[in-house]
Amino acid sequence: MGAPGMKFILLGLAIVLVGFFFEENLKEMGSGYFMGVEIFGALVVLFGAFQFFKARNAGPEAGSDELVQLRNEILLNTLARLTYADSNTKAVEVEAVRKIYKRETKQDVTAAEIRVAARGDLHETQAFDRYLTKGGAKLSREDKCFIMKAMAEIVKSDGSVSPGEVDFFDGVGKAFKMSASEVAELRK
């Protein structure tokens, strides 16, 4: 019964049921009492349903384990995909991903895992864009900026910046619903 709005739904249903059980008594008190109780009960149910679906669609709470796990997953997949953005995954980029991921998550990731993530199931551009858009909607602005800054660090790790890396960087910013000026600032 911990779901938000559930108490209101149950309370509203109880009010409606009480209204039905005491229909005759309420009608004796006046013609509008029965209808008023029923409408009030229905409004309480609707309010509870609104609260329930609002909480359900809100996604994970800030700071929750679920949100941290999502951020780490998006971080790894995005950095890994970036290493393949110019179709030439360099060892120095993979090592930079390992270091950043370890520094930020306190978890180790192997070069093989990075290479698999770089070319994994999300390899189709449109699917990866949808993944970033959906996941990014749940992340805070700070998490999105953090991922973008980590990407800039990876791009600079091999001493050169390819057009494919720039396009990928800009695409992630777009999927995260960041403005062009924000993306340009983070690219520095």
Side-chain angles (χ1 to χ4, degrees), residues 3-19:
M6 195 55 72
K7 290 179 183 176
F8 285 106
I9 293 171
L10 294 175
L11 177 64
L13 290 173
I15 292 170
V16 168
L17 286 173
V18 166

Side-chain angles (χ1 to χ4, degrees), residues 120-133:
D121 293 340
L122 301 172
H123 190 64
E124 182 188 338
T125 302
Q126 291 175 340
F128 190 71
D129 289 344
R130 283 191 302 270
Y131 164 76
L132 287 178
T133 301

Side-chain angles (χ1 to χ4, degrees), residues 82-137:
L82 178 62
T83 66
Y84 193 69
D86 57 3
S87 300
N88 183 15
T89 304
K90 297 180 181 126
V92 68
E93 292 173 329
V94 172
E95 190 56 32
V97 171
R98 290 184 70 226
K99 285 179 183 175
I100 290 170
Y101 194 77
K102 173 72 172 180
R103 179 182 73 213
E104 299 303 327
T105 67
K106 311 294 186 251
Q107 299 172 8
D108 287 316
V109 63
T110 66
E113 290 170 321
I114 294 168
R115 291 181 191 278
V116 168
R119 298 184 184 106
D121 293 340
L122 301 172
H123 190 64
E124 182 188 338
T125 302
Q126 291 175 340
F128 190 71
D129 289 344
R130 283 191 302 270
Y131 164 76
L132 287 178
T133 301
K134 185 177 179 182

